[in-house]
Amino acid sequence: MRKKFIYIGMLALMPLFNSCADYLDVVPEGTATIDMAFHMRSEAIKYLATCYSYMPSHGNTTWDPALLGGDELCGQTESGRIDKDYALSLSRGGQSTANPLLDRWSDCYKALRDCNIFLENVASVPDLPAWERDLWIAEVKVLKAFYHFQLVQMYGPVPIIRENLSVDAGVDEVKVPRNTVDECFEYIEELLNEAIDMRSLPLQVYAPADELGRITLPIAHMIKAKVLTTAASPLFNGNNDQATLRNHDGTQLFNQTEDKQKWVKAANACKAAMDVCKEADLKLFQYTEGSSTMDSRYRLLLTLRRMFNERWNSEIIWANTNSRAGGGNTGLQQISTAKLNSDYKDAPEIRSLVGVALKVAETFYSSNGVPITEDKDWGYASKYEVRDIPRNDDKYTFYLEGGEVTARLNMDREPRFYAFLGFDRGAWHGQGRKETEQPFYLHARKGDTDGQASEAVGMGPLTGYWAKKLVYDGNALTAVNQYSCTEYPWPIYRLSDLYLLYAEAINEAYGPEGGLIGEENAVAESPFTYIDAVRERAGLKGVKESWNNYSNSPTKYTTQTGLRAIIQQERMIELAFEGIRFWDIRRWKTAPSLYQTPMQGWNMSQSRANYYYRSTVVYKQSFGVKDYFWPISNDNLLKNDNLVQNIGW
């Protein structure tokens, strides 16, 4: 089982997995039709594809709450901006019980129903080999676990669906109450263990290429690591804010006492996932193409850009083939990029619909690898001051436009700042320019190529920062109305996410000194091993060296609380704009304090630098206890009076 193997005889899956329209209606309601759906392999595989079809719309600015629904990215709907404002309304406190925004309740339960139908019937397919039947069963069990996890993240404790009710079930049987949050996590873990223990999932899917995105053993282990880390986090582990959430019979749905052993379980799950990923030859991505004379700084910038948006690179554990980041007027890359080329200043294809919050730009480290609030040499008090960018200064080569001016905030920052963010007078590599050519420099003040063209709302950028990380560097604006765009399936989980989850779990379970990990053949593990691996790939020194030499809090990493803050900031930087922060700040219960800082950017209505570089509020946000979870819709509460509403709704 531990060797790689190739799926065979399943070429028909490409249209099934890449286009919902082809197969969502293959299995109409009704027992007779279900029997037909499993009477041969060629029909059963369509039902397998249907189980995959309920995957969330990752990376979709309208439907993914973790992008514009949080405090990281912002947008506007007026005058040709984001088409629908569901996520934006969520970020501004527009949630309601009458018609909940981005409600996944019904879709997830439909998904669970179809997963159960598949599991109940797949054994009856006469021409399905035993090895393939077991493979499909394992895949669907993982999907079933994932959909339950989606529900718990959004709604908290939910009714568990172990199996579908019979068609003659009575009304009382249908009206099921919510399970406790611990029962939910235990069941999700049970499903994942069952799938893993079947020993049918492959280490890799690499041929045919159209099957990439299907469940593998590393994916199952990664989901388990994420699930158990979430279960151990403050939102779900001893959450006294949820003490009053009880079923009608008085059952308390959230545990009220923190259980440190949950962090031990999470660390063990992360260790198992790490081992499997290593066996599958997954590794932190490094850009190795280009000439042998390529400057190491340029190579690093390409590494940091492509580690997220290069398709199926070496650290992608799972990417969602149903969610592709592409172009086409409202495609994510097209609304996240800048025009750059003054020859095409009036290009309607590039619309700058998404802006990065100023506070996120401040989150990135200084060039010394520590927070700018702690760097004893950086000068945080002058962060918004306008500074000259020296000409021909090798220090700023590849990062800033010499001879211009910019804010102190944009100078002397870590490589990820320059790889992930586009900003005024900052370099934007790619977009048709080769490594030997001068890069484009983004000009974002009013009247500039990438600035506001007029006072009208909807013209030009929002905050002065672009999410460059989301844009493949090979894309190019080649004519006023032609944008060449390389699509990529949205990465759900990357290896650096797992590294930092593991470091977090080790610190929470054992503290900065680490401990013995693994239920069998226990090994000593240090959290710094995995934080430093991510930092090294980002061009930074390790935590201890950086804090010892440059931080005004040099002992911060020696305490569990201090290292927790370091790990959390590392995650918010490394995984920026990937839809991770939204869920992380909820499970950490840090969202209320972070939301106190409003969405801010530079003053985009100004053309002069000393006026442009002034922080300006785009809109304000708020976050309370009720915002940790979605409300259950009034309609669902009426249908099932055994359900209780979440706190605050």
Side-chain angles (χ1 to χ4, degrees), residues 335-525:
I335 63 178
S336 301
T337 193
K339 295 176 184 177
L340 304 171
N341 191 340
S342 59
D343 292 342
Y344 308 127
K345 184 176 179 179
D346 298 324
E349 298 291 306
I350 306 302
R351 297 158 66 191
S352 296
L353 307 187
V354 174
V356 177
L358 186 61
K359 65 180 178 182
V360 174
E362 294 186 22
T363 299
F364 288 81
Y365 296 135
S366 71
S367 57
N368 292 323
V370 298
I372 58 175
T373 54
E374 294 180 29
D375 191 317
K376 58 188 180 183
D377 301 325
W378 194 83
Y380 182 73
S382 61
K383 61 181 177 178
Y384 295 158
E385 289 182 4
V386 176
R387 300 285 181 87
D388 291 329
I389 306 170
R391 290 185 184 274
N392 304 317
D393 188 335
D394 191 59
K395 178 180 179 181
Y396 298 112
T397 301
F398 300 108
Y399 300 147
L400 300 170
E401 185 175 11
E404 292 285 336
V405 297
T406 191
R408 170 64 177 142
L409 190 66
N410 297 333
M411 303 179 74
D412 304 314
R413 305 301 296 276
E414 62 159 306
R416 286 177 296 194
F417 180 88
Y418 300 106
F420 292 2
L421 298 175
F423 56 89
D424 183 53
R425 271 57 181 181
W428 193 302
H429 298 280
Q431 300 289 3
R433 294 282 173 90
K434 300 177 181 179
E435 65 174 274
T436 55
E437 297 178 306
Q438 178 177 289
F440 284 108
Y441 292 102
L442 199 153
H443 286 197
R445 301 168 204 163
K446 183 181 176 181
D448 284 347
T449 299
D450 298 292
Q452 287 188 354
S454 71
E455 296 289 350
V457 175
M459 301 297 289
L462 293 169
T463 65
Y465 287 100
W466 281 253
K468 182 166 61 172
K469 178 184 187 179
L470 302 178
V471 182
Y472 186 71
D473 63 88
N475 296 354
L477 185 63
T478 56
V480 71
N481 61 350
Q482 185 172 344
Y483 181 63
S484 173
C485 179
T486 299
E487 291 188 336
Y488 58 91
W490 187 265
I492 307 172
Y493 299 131
R494 290 193 296 119
L495 194 59
S496 60
D497 184 356
L498 178 57
Y499 274 37
L500 295 174
L501 277 183
Y502 193 18
E504 178 183 355
I506 295 171
N507 182 54
E508 297 298 337
Y510 304 104
E513 298 303 315
L516 297 175
I517 312 295
E519 298 173 357
E520 299 177 2
N521 302 318
V523 295
E525 289 279 39

